[in-house]
């Protein structure tokens, strides 16, 4: 089985990450409309390369995880939040998502965080199972928070101590 390499993102990752983000878009995990040209940049002033860990298999970018502050408040600075996780279809089942999640936990600890949180759509069973297997627990549910593809979907809040 190929080895997943996780590394910090660089500005040169803009195009591969933007392509990956568009290719993996689905209402299974996104509440935003499908991206349309002209495409927004992947990196923004609010979320640059310093918040992204990249997964590579055989030198190709096959995934990313976005890790940032949960809020801009000083009283909340001990919490990091996962604000995005994507894995290329061709890399699913190779441990990429798990490797990214573990790297995010390690990075949050390195940054001095005490807690890691995330939000996941209720119907995204595979992601929820992955998060639970890595120590995340459901801390709250916002019932029918989103209307996606004609169905109401829960927003599930999960977290874990570090």
């Amino acid at each position: 089985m190929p080895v997943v390499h996780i590394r910090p993102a660089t500005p040169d990752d803009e195009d591969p990450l933007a392509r990956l983000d568009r290719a993996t878009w689905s209402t299974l995990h996104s509440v935003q409309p499908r991206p349309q040209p002209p495409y927004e940049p992947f990196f923004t002033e609010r979320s640059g390369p310093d918040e992204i860990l990249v997964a590579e298999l055989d030198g190709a970018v096959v995934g990313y995880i976005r890790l940032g502050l949960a809020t801009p408040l000083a009283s909340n600075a001990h919490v990091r939040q996962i604000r995005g996780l994507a894995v290329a279809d061709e890399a699913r089942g190779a441990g990429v998502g798990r490797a990214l999640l573990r790297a995010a936990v390690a990075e949050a600890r390195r940054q001095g965080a005490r807690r890691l949180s995330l939000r996941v759509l209720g119907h995204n069973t595979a992601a929820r199972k992955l998060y639970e297997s890595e120590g995340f627990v459901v801390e709250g549910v916002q019932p029918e928070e989103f209307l996606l593809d004609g169905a109401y979907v829960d927003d599930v809040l999960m977290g874990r101590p570090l």
Side-chain angles (χ1 to χ4, degrees):
M1 179 178 267
V3 176
V4 180
H5 173 68
I6 307 294
R7 62 172 176 77
T10 69
D12 291 340
D13 291 314
E14 168 71 33
D15 288 338
L17 289 174
R19 282 194 305 273
L20 174 66
D21 209 42
R22 290 190 300 267
T24 58
W25 182 93
S26 164
T27 56
L28 188 61
H29 55 78
S30 181
V31 298
Q32 299 289 333
R34 179 181 294 278
Q36 299 294 323
Y39 297 117
E40 297 290 322
F42 184 81
F43 296 129
T44 65
E45 284 184 22
R46 191 172 86 70
S47 181
D50 57 323
E51 290 191 350
I52 306 288
L53 296 172
V54 174
E56 293 179 325
L57 279 176
D58 298 324
V61 172
V62 294
Y64 75 84
I65 194 164
R66 187 183 313 265
L67 179 69
L69 292 170
T71 73
L73 301 170
S75 60
N76 192 230
H78 63 285
V79 179
R80 293 298 177 278
Q81 185 176 55
I82 293 172
R83 291 201 235 137
L85 171 63
V87 176
D89 288 344
E90 66 272 13
R92 291 188 188 267
V96 174
R98 187 171 307 278
L100 282 165
L101 195 54
R102 288 179 177 175
V105 166
E107 177 60 18
R109 282 185 179 130
R110 188 194 68 75
Q111 292 176 12
R114 295 175 39 92
R115 194 175 130 58
L116 187 57
S117 65
L118 60 88
R119 296 168 69 174
V120 61
L121 293 174
H123 64 189
N124 193 343
T125 307
R128 290 179 65 180
K129 284 181 181 177
L130 172 63
Y131 298 140
E132 287 170 2
S133 75
E134 291 296 320
F136 287 83
V137 297
V138 173
E139 297 178 334
V141 176
Q142 294 177 301
E144 298 185 350
E145 188 72 4
F146 300 103
L147 178 61
L148 302 172
D149 291 336
Y152 290 99
V153 179
D154 295 348
D155 190 14
V156 179
L157 311 175
M158 299 182 80
R160 63 162 286 179
L162 298 173

